[in-house]
């Protein structure tokens, strides 16, 4: 099946107990059993069944199964947010004293998390280039994971998944890819060799801007060396599934960052239109980027523009789809604010992946607590405007931005 058909009719779109077309929302805390013996078996993982929503719920399972299938993974665990998904995946792999190698120009919240993890003894090493050559010299015997964003938000740096996965795996290290901005519509990192995929489902997966969530998908394709990956060595009997079994039955359960059943349902129905939305969003972003780039003095950062430094990957890895984020520089913070304030269609909001076009001045918001050097490595300057392009009629968007830029001139 092709992507849009698989979304609606793939094997992960299961049949539910009362033949519902969509999974029922199991909005409960706990599940009732006829005997203590049955519940004992469920707790001992000797029988299938749900006990308590923090450790499993059928609406969560329905959403997880679809994400697992779309990303070609072997297991998926949903979380309360994208940040909890990133946190838990790293905590499942790292002990105090371990290192992670990460890309530059990442989402501000993730950069801040790396600072937090330092206090727990987990050290971050920043790679200038997320290529095999860029990461190889940084790998040490303490490296437990390599983490990067496929299309970084908002720098739009690209992670060379094939090259980095190969080099990392040869050195006995798994590659974790945050694919939030790409979505499986644009690329499937596990197919390209990545080992673990993460999404902030709050963005394009949900698509309607109505719930915070995250998910971790294990490719089940990494040969763990349990003498090195001691954080999961208790789970060695699960072989290639050791990471996700530890995650689900240990770290995820105990940290208590589960997704709510209602949010799982909203994400589930969001997936129905993922292909349609991404097609429109990518086409709109491409047209808007070209239109704004033609304005004197405006240089747009968007992957489909021929001058973009990652244009090669745009064609070879992203199937000619650039996603929904673009940025441009206004000249000064004051000008950036004036442009943003005079937009009529685009809303000022700190989110991406909505149906509605959203704009923000990242330096004064998302990166307000990030050191300047790391902020600029993320492609964010004092005059940068980030646009998350929506599904509106593109001519209205182009007019909205052109007028706002025109009005801010000469002031
Ligand atoms: C938004 C975002 C996150 C964090 O996700 P939340 O759901 O807000 O916790 C992580 N990575 C990227 C690339 C994001 O855009």
């Amino acid at each position: 099946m092709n992507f849009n058909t698989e979304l609606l009719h793939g094997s992960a779109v299961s049949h539910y107990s009362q033949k519902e077309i969509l999974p029922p929302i199991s909005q409960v805390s706990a599940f009732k059993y006829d005997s203590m013996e049955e519940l004992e078996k469920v707790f001992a993982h000797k029988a299938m069944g749900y006990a308590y929503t923090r450790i499993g719920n059928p609406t969560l399972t329905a959403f997880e199964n679809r994400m697992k299938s779309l990303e070609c993974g072997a297991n998926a665990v949903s979380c309360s947010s994208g940040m909890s998904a990133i946190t838990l995946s790293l905590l499942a792999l790292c002990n105090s004293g371990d290192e992670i190698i990460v890309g530059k120009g990442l989402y501000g919240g993730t950069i801040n998390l790396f600072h937090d993890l330092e206090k727990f003894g987990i050290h971050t090493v920043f790679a200038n280039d997320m290529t095999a050559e860029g990461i190889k010299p940084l790998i040490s015997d303490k490296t437990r994971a390599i983490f990067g964003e496929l299309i970084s938000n908002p720098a739009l740096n690209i992670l060379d998944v094939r090259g980095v996965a190969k080099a990392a795996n040869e050195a006995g290290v798994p590659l974790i890819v945050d694919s939030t901005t790409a979505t499986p519509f644009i690329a499937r990192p596990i197919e390209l060799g990545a080992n673990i995929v993460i999404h902030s489902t709050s963005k394009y997966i949900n698509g309607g801007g109505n719930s915070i969530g995250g998910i971790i998908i294990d490719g089940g394709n990494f040969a763990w060396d349990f003498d090195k990956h001691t954080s999961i060595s208790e789970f060695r009997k699960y072989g290639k599934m050791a990471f996700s079994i530890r995650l689900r039955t240990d770290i995820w359960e105990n940290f208590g960052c589960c997704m709510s059943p209602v949010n799982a349902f909203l994400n589930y129905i969001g997936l129905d239109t993922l292909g349609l939305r991404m097609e429109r969003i990518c086409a709109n972003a491409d047209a808007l980027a070209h239109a704004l780039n033609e304005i004197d003095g405006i240089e747009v950062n968007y992957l489909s523009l021929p001058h973009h430094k990652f244009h090669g990957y745009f064609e070879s890895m992203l199937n000619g789809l650039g996603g929904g984020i673009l940025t441009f520089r206004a000249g000064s913070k004051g000008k950036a604010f004036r442009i943003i304030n005079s937009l009529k269609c685009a809303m000022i909001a700190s989110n991406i992946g909505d149906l509605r076009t959203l704009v923000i001045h990242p330096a004064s918001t998302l990166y307000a607590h990030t050191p300047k050097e790391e902020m600029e490595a993320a492609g964010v300057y004092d005059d940068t405007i980030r646009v998350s392009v929506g599904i509106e009629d593109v001519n209205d968007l182009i007019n909205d931005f052109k007028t706002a830029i025109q009005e801010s001139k000469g002031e």
Side-chain angles (χ1 to χ4, degrees):
M1 280 186 210
N2 292 309
F3 192 83
N4 284 315
T5 315
E6 188 196 331
L7 278 174
L8 300 169
H9 303 289
S11 57
V13 183
S14 335
H15 305 285
Y16 303 105
S17 61
Q18 300 302 318
K19 305 194 189 304
E20 297 94 338
I21 282 176
L22 295 169
I25 306 173
S26 297
Q27 185 61 20
V28 295
S29 311
F31 298 78
K32 171 168 97 71
Y33 283 81
D34 290 336
S35 72
M36 210 33 245
E37 284 78 7
E38 275 181 61
L39 188 55
E40 183 184 30
K41 277 190 199 142
V42 169
F43 267 79
H45 304 294
K46 287 189 176 135
M48 294 288 284
Y50 297 96
Y52 188 63
T53 287
R54 173 163 50 72
I55 58 178
N57 176 292
T59 319
L60 270 56
T61 305
F63 174 58
E64 288 165 349
N65 283 342
R66 260 179 117 184
M67 286 302 299
K68 175 175 81 177
S69 153
L70 281 174
E71 287 289 10
C72 308
N75 208 345
V77 178
S78 53
C79 300
S80 54
S81 66
M83 288 315 304
S84 63
I86 296 170
T87 307
L88 297 188
S89 65
L90 294 174
L91 291 183
L93 288 177
C94 297
N95 297 325
S96 176
D98 288 342
E99 284 179 5
I100 47 177
I101 297 172
V102 309
K104 276 199 172 163
L106 302 182
Y107 176 71
T110 307
I111 298 176
N112 296 343
L113 170 69
F114 295 145
H115 287 282
D116 293 333
L117 291 179
E118 292 284 345
K119 301 192 183 90
F120 293 88
I122 298 167
H123 181 56
T124 305
V125 178
F126 286 95
N128 281 325
D129 290 308
M130 287 304 268
T131 58
E133 297 69 43
I135 59 133
K136 268 184 193 163
L138 305 177
I139 297 177
S140 78
D141 58 3
K142 291 184 185 154
T143 311
R144 292 294 171 271
I146 294 176
F147 176 94
E149 291 170 15
L150 180 52
I151 305 175
S152 76
N153 168 20
L156 307 184
N157 292 333
I158 301 284
L159 190 165
D160 175 12
V161 180
R162 282 192 191 93
V164 172
K166 187 163 178 284
N169 286 191
E170 277 169 10
V173 179
L175 171 63
I176 308 176
V177 175
D178 178 339
S179 202
T180 300
T181 52
T183 82
F185 179 74
I186 294 182
R188 308 193 201 218
I190 290 169
E191 273 191 342
L192 301 173
N195 308 106
I196 296 161
V197 171
I198 277 167
H199 285 277
S200 163
T201 61
S202 324
K203 316 292 171 56
Y204 296 96
I205 298 297
N206 172 279
N210 60 44
S211 41
I212 299 294
I215 197 156
I216 305 164
I217 300 135
D218 180 9
N221 58 354
F222 186 75
W224 301 101
D225 169 356
F226 295 106
D227 295 330
K228 172 174 174 170
H229 292 278
T230 55
S231 72
I232 58 171
S233 60
E234 267 178 63
F235 296 80
R236 67 172 69 221
K237 72 172 180 193
Y238 297 105
K240 288 188 171 174
M241 300 304 290
F243 163 76
S244 49
I245 303 291
R246 180 191 185 204
L247 185 68
R248 184 176 289 283
T249 62
D250 188 36
I251 289 273
W252 179 76
E253 254 189 50
N254 297 338
F255 276 71
C257 307
C258 60
M259 182 179 275
S260 87
V262 171
N263 286 0
F265 178 80
L266 292 169
N267 291 333
Y268 185 104
I269 57 176
L271 279 180
D272 291 347
T273 56
L274 177 66
L276 210 54
R277 285 185 283 110
M278 288 310 290
E279 228 174 280
R280 175 66 165 253
I281 284 171
C282 292
N284 278 3
D286 176 64
L288 182 63
H290 279 88
L292 297 186
N293 203 51
E294 274 167 21
I295 300 174
D296 241 7
I298 300 278
E299 190 170 320
V300 177
N301 177 19
Y302 188 67
L303 292 159
S304 73
L305 293 167
H307 67 255
H308 200 280
K309 77 173 181 191
F310 292 107
H311 191 79
Y313 290 116
F314 167 75
E315 280 165 353
S316 65
M317 196 170 72
L318 307 179
N319 302 309
L321 297 162
I325 298 174
L326 62 87
T327 65
F328 64 93
R329 297 182 64 174
S332 69
K333 177 178 174 180
K335 250 186 170 176
F337 273 37
R338 282 198 297 278
I339 292 174
I340 291 174
N341 290 342
S342 43
L343 288 164
K344 303 274 183 300
C345 272
M347 296 179 183
I348 304 173
S350 75
N351 192 15
I352 57 168
D354 200 299
L355 300 166
R356 291 149 276 259
T357 295
L358 309 177
V359 283
I360 200 160
H361 179 257
S364 60
T365 53
L366 311 168
Y367 290 85
H369 307 292
T370 309
K372 191 169 177 207
E373 192 201 335
E374 285 169 43
M375 178 177 94
E376 293 189 350
V380 174
Y381 301 88
D382 218 29
D383 62 343
T384 300
I385 295 175
R386 183 187 75 183
V387 186
S388 170
V389 181
I391 64 165
E392 297 93 341
D393 188 300
V394 74
N395 293 318
D396 292 331
L397 289 179
I398 292 172
N399 286 337
D400 196 19
F401 279 91
K402 275 191 170 168
T403 311
I405 291 168
Q406 200 58 44
E407 280 173 3
S408 80
K409 268 203 184 133
E411 273 180 47

